[in-house]
Amino acid sequence: MHVFVTGATGWVGSMVVQELLGAGHRVTGLSRSREKGQALAATGATVLHATLDDLDALQRAAGAADAVIHTAFNHDFSQFAANAEQDRRAIEALGGALVGSSRPLLVTAGVALLAPGRVATEQDEASSDPSYPRRSEVMARTLRERGVRAATIRLPPSVHGLGDHGFLPILIRTARETGVSAYIGDGRNRWSGVHRLDAARVYRLALEEGVTQPAYHAVADEGVAFEELAKIIGRRLGLPVQSREASHFSWFSSFAGLDMAASSARTRELLDWQPTEPGLLEDLDQPGYFA
Ligand SMILES: NC(=O)c1ccc[n+]([C@@H]2O[C@H](COP(=O)([O-])OP(=O)(O)OC[C@H]3O[C@@H](n4cnc5c(N)ncnc54)[C@H](OP(=O)(O)O)[C@@H]3O)[C@@H](O)[C@H]2O)c1
């Protein structure tokens, strides 16, 4: 299969590219950077030099591929609404190239706001919460209504592994800066997680399965109490582990305090997927996170 991958130079996308190439698929990867594009080409992928704003280029690449995987996203949270709009437009363009075909589009989304307070499942539908501008999942649904074989791969808040620059490093940095490894309230809110290698396999298996479902959950750990994460960080850094007000985490408080448990029972059954890499707590306890 020839797959067009956006975000091919990113944490998740670069592993998806490796996974696809390793399984014998052909990949064209999007890169906005010459330097990272060269590294991507060295893996065996063809490189499309463009940005998420080059909608014509995205459409042409999607139109020339057998399948599309969208993992690109600008994570500068200071301009989150603008980035969410850029993402929405890019998904619309990618999907527009697939209308009238059975060629699939996998859009990356999260489990974060699906079902706070209970374990989210693949059957849960994302709402259009006006306080959260990201519309990746909603766009995928809109495309399905237009006849596109679009689905979401939902990722947990932590896609972990050596080299992680996501949410776990933010918690570690906050602990270092404030001198306390904190949790909010009783710390029982849950974070789900998956190792980057296990997540990449879900993308490949979903494509190979033919993308028959609206949503897949690349979730290995269903839900780990946030306090358990704080305990490991506190022990590793030699800092006290204490409850704090949400404001302790500043802009990150909405994530640190959120309950984000999710099941992947349906995905495991459908794709015959079993995570094999270290779990969230075991992986966080690696020295690499604290180097
Ligand atoms: N990592 C996690 O723990 C996690 C958890 C839940 C959901 N997710 C979601 O998973 C997806 C992938 O995340 P990630 O961790 O791989 O993010 P990442 O490491 O920040 O990678 C993002 C990718 O998007 C590219 N990109 C950003 N802005 C672009 C633009 N304007 N034009 C072209 N390319 C652009 C980046 O290019 P450069 O390499 O040039 O910067 C990079 O390849 C995102 O949708 C993210 O929100 C991630």
Side-chain angles (χ1 to χ4, degrees), residues 1 13 55 83 108 115 123 132 135 141 145 214 216 248 252 265:
M1 211 184 291
L55 301 181
N83 299 341
T108 305
Q123 277 84 20
Y132 185 75
R135 293 284 173 268
R141 189 162 63 223
E145 286 160 10
Y216 300 83
H248 175 85
F252 194 65

Side-chain angles (χ1 to χ4, degrees), residues 7 9-12 32 36 52 71-73 75 108 134 156 159 165:
T9 57
W11 173 246
V12 173
R32 58 179 169 173
K36 289 187 183 179
L52 283 176
T71 71
F73 193 83
H75 288 109
T108 305
R134 190 162 169 178
V159 180
H165 56 249

Side-chain angles (χ1 to χ4, degrees), residues 60-72:
R60 275 196 301 277
D66 300 315
V68 178
I69 295 180
H70 176 57
T71 71

